[in-house]
Amino acid sequence: MTSPVRMYDSLSLARTRLPHRPDTGRHHAVAALGNPTPQQRWQRPRSARALGTVRAFGVALCIGAMALTSVGTQAQTRARQTAQQSSQTEFEEEVVPQRYAANPDVDAFINDIVARDGFDRSELQKVFSRVVFSQTAARLAAPPATPGQKNWTKYEKNFLDNTRINGGVRFWNQNAAALARAAKAYGVPEEIIVAIIGVETIYGRNMGNFRTIDALTTLAFDYPPARNRSERMALFRKELENLLLYARERGVDPFSIYGSYAGAIGIPQFMPSSIRNYAVDFSGDGKINLTTDVADAIGSVANFLKQHGWQPGQPVVWNIAADRGSQGLAEAGADGQPEPHWKLSDFIKAGMLMNEPRLDVGSALDTPVLIVDLPTPGQATQYRMGLTNFYVLTRYNRSFFYAMSVYDLADAIKAARAP
C-alpha cells in the first residue's frame, strides 16, 4: 500500500501560478454582482458549540500539507506552457460562472454548514451564485497522463538555488528581530522558518493569483478524476467551510482573498484551516495578516511547527555511513512511513554505521527514527535517518522531498549568512 507521504512528493504549490481574476475582462456579469460589505454578509456569530465541532474535524493543512500527487513537475510544466501561449489575460475558457448556483451538491453543503456553523442560507446561496468554476485549477490538479519518476536531484535543484539562498539571507537580515523572537518563543530555528517561506513563495514573491473561494469550490465539487477523488473533495469541502468561517470571523469579503490554485494563502501558504488553527498576530497590531505582514507569517510558521511537535534543540536528520552494509540496512528500513517508528538501536544492532561524528550512539539508542529515501533515476538512492523534527516538517507538506529540501536550504542559508 502506498504511504500517504509518497503521494505528495511534488513541487511546492507556490511554484505554479497563473493570473486568475474572474471579476475582470470578459466576465462583466460576474463583476456586476459587486461585493457586499463584510457586515452585510457575515453578521451571524458562531455558537460556541459550532466552534468546537468545526475545530474537532478541521484538518491542519497548509500549501505544503495539501501539495498534491497530481501537481508535481508535470503541472508546473503545463502552467508554464499555458502562460507562454497567452500574450493577453483572457479567461473566457478558464472560468465558468453560475456553475454552483442551484447546484444540488452545493445546496447540500450549504445545508450542512448552516446547521453546523449558523450561517444564513440565503446569504450563502448568493455567495455561491457568484463563485465561478476554475478550469485552470481543475486542470492543474488533474493527475498526469503518465506519472513521472521521482527525481530527488532534479527536485532539490528547484529550491536549492541562488535565488532562494541569497534571498533567504536578505530575508533573514531584514527580519532578524522577528525571526529571533519567533525562535525564542516557539523553539524553531530561524533558518528553518526562513527556508519554509523560501520554498513556499520565494519570501512572498509568489503567493498566487487565484481567487481562493473559486479554487476551493472547484476542487470541492469538481475535482478531476483521480484514484482518491472523493477523499480529496471531502478535504477541500472542509477547507471551503474554513474559508467561509475565517472570512466571517475576520469580517472580510471571501471574494477578496487570493492564493494558490489549491487554496493556500499568503506568504507561508497556509490553507484556511491552518490559518484558523495556527496563524498568530505576531506583529501585535491586533489582527492576523499572512499576505502583507511578514512578522505574522514568521510567527505563524513557527507556531505551526511547534503545535505539531517540534522539539527545540534537537536534530532533524542524521547521516548514515556510505558503506554497503549500512546502505543496505537503510534500504530495508525505508518503508515510506513518515512518522518515526523505528529506534536507532534497531539499525545499530543490525550493524548500521552512522556518519555523525558528534553523535553519542550509545546514549541515543532509544531515539525514534525513520528512514528517508531520496531516489533519482539512474543513480543510487540516497538515504538519511529522520527524527521527530523531520516528521514535523512533513506535516507542513507531506513529502520526504519537501522536508529534505527545507532542511538543506536552511543549512545553505545559514552557511551563506555566517560571517
Side-chain angles (χ1 to χ4, degrees):
M1 178 177 179
T2 304
S3 165
V5 131
R6 304 302 182 83
M7 291 164 50
Y8 295 92
D9 280 342
S10 59
L11 292 174
S12 169
L13 296 177
R15 293 188 59 79
T16 306
R17 297 286 182 254
L18 289 177
H20 181 76
R21 296 190 181 272
D23 282 349
T24 61
R26 300 193 179 189
H27 290 291
H28 300 299
V30 177
L33 290 172
N35 292 334
T37 65
Q39 291 76 16
Q40 289 173 326
R41 188 171 299 287
W42 311 111
Q43 57 189 354
R44 287 198 175 190
R46 179 175 54 185
S47 67
R49 180 179 180 182
L51 174 63
T53 302
V54 173
R55 286 186 176 171
F57 75 80
V59 289
L61 302 176
C62 70
I63 178 89
M66 286 295 300
L68 308 175
T69 299
S70 57
V71 295
T73 305
Q74 296 86 357
Q76 183 189 20
T77 301
R78 291 197 299 272
R80 191 182 298 117
Q81 290 171 343
T82 301
Q84 291 171 346
Q85 290 168 357
S86 177
S87 60
Q88 295 181 342
T89 304
E90 294 184 354
F91 292 104
E92 65 273 16
E93 295 180 354
E94 299 296 333
V95 299
V96 179
Q98 297 292 308
R99 187 184 185 100
Y100 301 109
N103 180 304
D105 291 336
V106 175
D107 288 343
F109 172 76
I110 288 174
N111 290 336
D112 284 345
I113 65 174
V114 165
R116 186 160 50 239
D117 306 319
F119 282 107
D120 182 278
R121 180 179 283 100
S122 64
E123 292 301 325
L124 286 180
Q125 289 171 338
K126 291 177 184 177
V127 167
F128 285 103
S129 73
R130 296 178 57 218
V131 172
V132 297
F133 167 77
S134 172
Q135 190 177 62
T136 308
R139 183 173 66 250
L140 291 175
T146 304
Q149 288 182 297
K150 297 173 185 176
N151 189 322
W152 164 242
T153 301
K154 183 177 180 180
Y155 181 98
E156 189 177 43
K157 283 182 180 178
N158 285 291
F159 302 110
L160 204 64
D161 57 12
N162 288 333
T163 297
R164 284 184 170 82
I165 294 172
N166 297 334
V169 171
R170 287 193 298 272
F171 182 86
W172 193 337
N173 290 338
Q174 291 166 359
N175 300 283
L179 285 162
R181 188 160 54 91
K184 183 177 181 179
Y186 300 106
V188 180
E190 291 101 317
E191 63 268 22
I192 293 291
I193 301 171
V194 173
I196 285 178
I197 293 174
V199 167
E200 290 295 337
T201 60
I202 315 183
Y203 314 106
R205 281 170 49 183
N206 296 336
M207 292 186 286
N209 292 312
F210 287 79
R211 201 164 65 178
T212 303
I213 194 167
D214 294 337
L216 288 178
T217 302
T218 296
L219 299 181
F221 298 102
D222 286 302
Y223 198 91
R227 179 175 55 83
N228 53 352
R229 180 174 184 263
S230 60
E231 290 86 352
R232 293 191 179 201
M233 287 198 299
L235 288 175
F236 280 110
R237 290 183 191 189
K238 290 181 180 179
E239 292 302 329
L240 179 57
E241 179 178 16
N242 274 282
L243 176 70
L244 294 168
L245 288 165
Y246 167 73
R248 185 175 68 179
E249 290 162 356
R250 303 300 175 191
V252 299
D253 183 350
F255 289 90
S256 69
I257 301 170
Y258 285 78
S260 78
Y261 71 88
I265 299 165
I267 296 167
Q269 292 288 273
F270 271 22
M271 295 298 284
S273 62
S274 289
I275 294 177
R276 297 184 65 237
N277 291 321
Y278 305 109
V280 296
D281 171 22
F282 204 59
S283 64
D285 64 357
K287 57 185 178 181
I288 296 172
N289 181 349
L290 299 185
T291 302
T292 60
D293 193 323
V294 176
D296 284 1
I298 288 169
S300 296
V301 169
N303 184 53
F304 180 95
L305 296 177
K306 177 184 178 181
Q307 296 302 323
H308 282 81
W310 185 271
Q311 297 182 343
Q314 297 301 307
V316 175
V317 297
W318 284 329
N319 292 312
I320 300 168
D323 67 279
R324 192 170 184 177
S326 297
Q327 292 294 302
L329 289 169
E331 181 181 5
D335 52 16
Q337 295 186 41
E339 191 166 4
H341 56 288
W342 302 104
K343 288 186 177 180
L344 177 60
S345 60
D346 295 329
F347 296 98
I348 298 302
K349 290 177 181 178
M352 178 180 282
L353 302 175
M354 302 299 295
N355 183 20
E356 289 289 340
R358 298 181 181 180
L359 173 63
D360 182 352
V361 173
S363 63
L365 291 175
D366 289 334
T367 303
V369 298
L370 67 139
I371 299 297
V372 180
D373 60 326
L374 306 167
T376 297
Q379 300 180 21
T381 297
Q382 297 181 39
Y383 297 99
R384 303 206 196 174
M385 186 171 284
L387 287 82
T388 296
N389 284 343
F390 183 87
Y391 169 70
V392 173
L393 291 179
T394 69
R395 299 306 86 195
Y396 208 105
N397 179 315
R398 289 184 285 180
S399 162
F400 283 179
F401 280 21
Y402 175 91
M404 202 69 246
S405 291
V406 166
Y407 176 77
D408 286 346
L409 178 59
D411 263 5
I413 293 170
K414 186 176 181 178
R417 189 174 182 266

